[in-house]
């Protein structure tokens, strides 16, 4: 059952600003070679509300496995998780295109399996698009979905769901054979109809070659500033984790600030200075 239309305007969870017109998939697709696409991940309503005014694309990434659930990879992430977080992000956004990652095991077996999973994601979340990892092997699936009304974002290079085949999360494409394979993968999903493509963790010259070779916009993460847009995991960019990949620029130190704030709260509780007068109810005289 769909939950994304529930009206929560009276709740503190939904401080809705003046309604904005949501960007569309064709408008994002038309940004090839133009104004860079600003994208971040989001997994919760509140984070979506805060990021949405600044972003063109919010991705409910399966990185939520590590970021939200403390899993060691994206492999255990389920469709249930993606649907629940996807609906939360759609509820918290008015402007950006919201796309949802297809989790490992929900799409690789066949185009029909992918359609069934993607249709569930679209119905239950209200998102406009899905993203799936893979190149030539996924081209038929990308074409199957797009011809049936499901916009798809491709994802090539470092594909974290394939970590067991890749042997780790290092940058891809240093050897010419692997570089040629990634270029062929990108061309295949582009020709199959994806409207945008994530280029993750690859040597910069390959990211530039792919960006020139494909007709859809490329969105880089650990790729190149010459991609048609950039994406980061929001919590990485905000400095919520001490350890982040080399390609992450930490724009804040949320981990440090949250620690300091929790410490101030703990000190107040121990000193019985919280709650104070402003935070307590007195009988009306
Ligand atoms: O899962 C994710 O967050 C992603 C982005 C980092 C591109 O795939």
């Amino acid at each position: 059952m769909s939950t994304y239309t529930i009206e929560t305007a009276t709740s503190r969870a939904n401080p809705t600003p003046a309604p904005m017109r949501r960007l569309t998939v064709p408008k994002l697709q038309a940004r090839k070679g133009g104004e860079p696409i600003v994208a971040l991940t989001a997994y919760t309503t509140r984070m979506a509300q805060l990021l949405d005014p600044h972003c063109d694309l919010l991705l409910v990434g399966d990185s939520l496995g590590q970021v939200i659930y403390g899993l060691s990879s994206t492999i255990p992430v389920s469709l249930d998780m993606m649907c629940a977080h996807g609906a939360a992000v759609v509820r918290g956004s008015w402007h950006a295109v919201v796309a949802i990652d297809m989790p490992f095991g929900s799409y690789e077996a066949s185009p029909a399996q992918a359609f069934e999973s993607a249709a569930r994601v679209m119905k239950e979340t209200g998102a406009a698009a899905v993203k799936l990892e893979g190149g030539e092997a996924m081209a038929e699936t990308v074409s199957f979905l797009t011809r049936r009304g499901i916009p798809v974002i491709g994802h090539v290079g470092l594909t974290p769901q394939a970590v067991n085949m890749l042997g780790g999360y290092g940058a891809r494409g240093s050897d010419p054979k692997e570089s040629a394979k990634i270029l062929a993968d990108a061309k295949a999903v582009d020709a199959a109809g994806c409207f945008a493509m994530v280029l993750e963790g690859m040597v910069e010259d390959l990211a530039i070659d792919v960006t020139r070779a494909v007709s859809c916009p490329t969105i880089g993460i650990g790729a190149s500033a010459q991609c048609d847009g950039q994406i980061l995991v929001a919590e990485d960019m905000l400095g919520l984790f001490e350890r982040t990949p080399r390609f992450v620029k930490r724009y804040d130190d949320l981990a440090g600030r949250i620690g300091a704030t929790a410490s101030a709260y703990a000190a107040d509780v121990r000193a019985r200075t919280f709650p104070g007068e402003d935070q307590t109810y007195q009988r009306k005289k």
Side-chain angles (χ1 to χ4, degrees):
M1 226 264 293
S2 161
T3 56
Y4 64 87
T5 50
I6 288 174
E7 174 58 84
T8 54
T10 57
S11 152
R12 118 219 273 169
N14 202 349
T16 312
M20 301 157 97
R21 262 187 105 79
R22 202 184 275 280
L23 268 172
T24 61
V25 163
K27 283 199 173 124
L28 269 194
Q29 188 169 19
R31 300 269 286 268
K32 177 78 187 172
E35 187 194 344
I37 294 170
V38 179
L40 283 169
T41 60
Y43 317 118
T44 62
T45 298
R46 185 61 186 140
M47 196 61 105
Q49 288 167 342
L50 295 172
L51 303 178
D52 179 66
H54 310 283
C55 289
D56 305 307
L57 171 69
L58 289 176
L59 173 69
V60 186
D62 61 353
S63 50
L64 64 76
Q66 290 108 317
V67 175
I68 301 280
Y69 290 94
L71 299 168
S72 59
S73 78
T74 55
I75 293 190
V77 172
S78 67
L79 259 185
D80 286 348
M81 290 175 183
M82 297 313 299
C83 286
H85 288 275
V89 168
V90 171
R91 283 195 292 271
S93 59
W94 309 270
H95 162 68
V97 169
V98 176
I100 318 275
D101 250 340
M102 301 289 288
F104 180 69
S106 71
Y107 64 95
E108 303 90 329
S110 66
Q113 185 211 19
F115 182 81
E116 198 176 318
S117 301
R120 179 182 162 200
V121 164
M122 308 283 287
K123 281 173 190 273
E124 292 190 17
T125 67
V130 298
K131 174 170 86 56
L132 55 83
E133 295 184 7
E136 287 169 310
M138 282 301 126
E140 191 191 343
T141 295
V142 171
S143 161
F144 192 91
L145 295 181
T146 53
R147 284 186 288 120
R148 285 160 181 77
I150 300 184
V152 179
I153 300 178
H155 184 158
V156 301
L158 170 59
T159 46
Q161 292 174 12
V163 64
N164 291 307
M165 291 296 289
L166 300 174
Y169 295 103
R172 317 305 307 179
S174 330
D175 96 79
K177 207 168 145 208
E178 189 181 52
S179 217
K181 169 71 179 133
I182 291 170
L183 185 56
D185 280 340
K187 286 181 178 170
V189 286
D190 181 48
C194 65
F195 76 90
M197 187 184 310
V198 168
L199 307 186
E200 178 165 358
M202 63 180 69
V203 292
E204 181 171 31
D205 62 297
L206 174 59
I208 294 170
D209 286 350
V210 171
T211 299
R212 287 189 185 134
V214 298
S215 62
C216 69
T218 58
I219 303 175
I221 172 163
S224 168
Q226 291 192 47
C227 291
D228 300 299
Q230 301 295 325
I231 186 163
L232 283 175
V233 168
E235 286 76 359
D236 284 344
M237 180 273 290
L238 291 166
L240 202 60
F241 295 104
E242 288 74 18
R243 275 192 61 205
T244 49
R246 179 170 169 284
F247 58 74
V248 172
K249 180 169 174 186
R250 291 162 58 105
Y251 286 83
D252 203 337
D253 172 31
L254 268 200
R257 293 207 284 141
I258 289 174
T261 306
S263 157
Y265 166 72
D268 276 0
V269 171
R270 289 184 184 117
R272 297 194 187 279
T273 52
F274 173 82
E277 211 175 298
D278 288 350
Q279 296 95 28
T280 45
Y281 299 101
Q282 306 303 333
R283 253 175 231 290
K284 288 202 173 72
K285 288 185 185 130

